Amino acid sequence: MASSLSVLVILCLAASASAQLSPTFYSRSCPRAMATIKAAVTAAVAREPRMGASLLRLHFHDCFVQGCDASVLLNDTATFTGEQTALPNVGSIRGFTVVDNIKAQVEAVCPRTVSCADILAVAARDSVVALGGPSWRVLLGRRDSTTANLSLANSDLPAPTLDLANLTAAFARKGLSRTDLVALSGAHTIGLAQCLNFRGHIYNDTNVNPAFATLRRANCPAAAGNGDGNLAPLDTTTATVFDNAYYTNLLARSGLLHSDQQLFNGGATDGLVRTYASTPTRFNRDFGAAMITMGNISPLTGSQGQIRLACSRVN
Ligand code: HEM
């Protein structure tokens, strides 16, 4: 009995691929990888602060669709359909040129060694740090997919129209807790959103600060199709600083997306929003921990997948 139990434990450990990721994965094979990525991210964010937000979001949109395997980076070809035309991605995700540039620099120092999936994970962390946020130890050793999944991208990336129950369920399907949901949503302390994604919230929802609604309506006309692409900051107070203002905004009923304000709407997550608003150190700690958990979603490891030579296409 005891031995069959230990066999079971060993099997479980072997099945959990995240156990194979390690913070020192490249310390022998590519000791310059981390510094190369960091320098490129820091330069890109200095050029355009929003790029930090865009790179962070790419890692999220990668991990939620068949795991953190860089599937989001694959371009469509005549014979291959990737994830970039999925509704949550099209006309919205950005940063591909920066990722291609980072990959080229990393290939120059260590050919065929560092995966695009790991570059996304490290770039997300370095982006947060470049904008003044917390750091964490990124686990490494992911490999890149040879496939992508358009229909999974449409079904598994949460929509801004979701309510708290459906947001919680979408995260639970990826093994993420309610705390992870609230902490990771704090990523919306940086970056921009298009009018079409917050129009319903500022015109139709009741849990909205009236002055905030008026402010955002000024550049987001009520009629669908009018000014759909007009941009507004997700964090109305400090859009290019990675701080905890996202949560103080929620307390003031000034979340930009319906899904944001759902986290402070009289439900089970109100308490955690209050905690993160009052205690930035708790937010920073939980955000880093949740990023590590998200980065562990179904990685390809060992001999699975490949190390792509260019992130936008399979070898
Ligand atoms: C909780 C469910 C989430 C929903 C419904 C959601 C939805 C959205 C939407 C609709 C936008 C604006 C896109 C546009 O208008 O083009 C956006 C932007 C963004 N999201 Fe989320 N998101 C969620 C969670 C996350 C998570 C977990 C992260 C990262 C950890 C993240 C990071 C970002 C960032 C940084 C931006 C700004 C990107 C930029 O300016 O380029 N989001 N999100």
Side-chain angles (χ1 to χ4, degrees):
M1 181 63 192
S3 71
S4 63
L5 194 67
S6 51
V7 168
L8 193 69
V9 168
I10 289 165
L11 281 176
C12 287
L13 284 175
S16 126
S18 65
Q20 297 166 34
L21 299 181
S22 140
T24 55
F25 189 81
Y26 296 113
S27 52
R28 277 158 191 248
S29 60
C30 190
R32 290 166 64 193
M34 295 302 111
T36 305
I37 300 170
K38 190 183 184 77
V41 169
T42 308
V45 174
R47 262 195 311 274
E48 187 208 1
R50 186 189 179 189
M51 189 50 69
S54 306
L55 292 172
L56 173 58
R57 188 169 183 232
L58 270 186
H59 180 48
F60 164 50
H61 281 216
D62 178 27
C63 292
F64 262 57
V65 182
Q66 70 176 27
C68 312
D69 60 358
S71 55
V72 70
L73 299 178
L74 291 174
N75 286 343
D76 286 2
T77 69
T79 54
F80 178 88
T81 305
E83 296 164 9
Q84 292 171 13
T85 57
L87 209 62
N89 288 338
V90 71
S92 184
I93 48 171
R94 55 200 295 280
F96 298 105
T97 312
V98 171
V99 173
D100 288 346
N101 171 46
I102 297 172
K103 175 64 172 174
Q105 291 190 43
V106 171
E107 282 296 306
V109 292
C110 311
R112 298 163 189 264
T113 307
V114 181
S115 69
C116 298
D118 280 346
I119 287 175
L120 286 182
V122 175
R125 190 269 315 274
D126 293 345
S127 291
V128 169
V129 170
L131 293 172
S135 191
W136 59 93
R137 277 192 108 186
V138 178
L139 299 183
L140 300 164
R142 299 170 191 80
R143 290 168 63 86
D144 300 325
S145 70
T146 53
T147 62
N149 196 321
L150 177 64
S151 60
L152 264 190
N154 275 315
S155 63
D156 288 12
L157 290 167
T161 48
L162 295 188
D163 62 17
L164 180 59
N166 286 321
L167 289 167
T168 308
F171 276 60
R173 278 195 292 276
K174 303 296 165 186
L176 301 185
S177 68
R178 206 154 59 189
T179 302
D180 295 326
L181 164 66
V182 178
L184 289 172
S185 294
H188 289 176
T189 181
I190 52 173
L192 307 175
Q194 304 175 69
C195 166
L196 85 166
N197 284 317
F198 60 83
R199 177 183 284 126
H201 179 56
I202 59 169
Y203 283 100
N204 305 329
D205 285 353
T206 50
N207 190 14
V208 187
N209 180 315
F212 175 72
T214 303
L215 176 74
R216 289 295 161 244
R217 285 175 185 177
N219 194 35
C220 181
N226 268 351
D228 279 3
N230 293 358
L231 294 169
L234 283 155
D235 168 359
T236 193
T237 48
T238 50
T240 58
V241 182
F242 197 100
D243 56 14
N244 69 334
Y246 171 79
Y247 301 100
T248 46
N249 293 336
L250 295 185
L251 297 187
R253 298 194 300 153
S254 303
L256 185 63
L257 306 177
H258 171 82
S259 50
D260 291 326
Q261 199 58 56
Q262 280 291 298
L263 302 181
F264 191 74
N265 190 38
T269 49
D270 281 16
L272 201 48
V273 169
R274 282 204 183 86
T275 301
Y276 292 157
S278 65
T279 319
T281 49
R282 267 291 296 278
F283 166 56
N284 285 344
R285 191 192 69 193
D286 287 4
F287 185 80
M291 286 296 291
I292 292 171
T293 306
M294 184 174 83
N296 279 337
I297 300 174
S298 316
L300 300 172
T301 55
S303 59
Q304 297 171 314
Q306 59 182 214
I307 303 297
R308 280 183 219 146
L309 298 175
C311 292
S312 59
R313 56 180 182 272
V314 297
N315 297 340

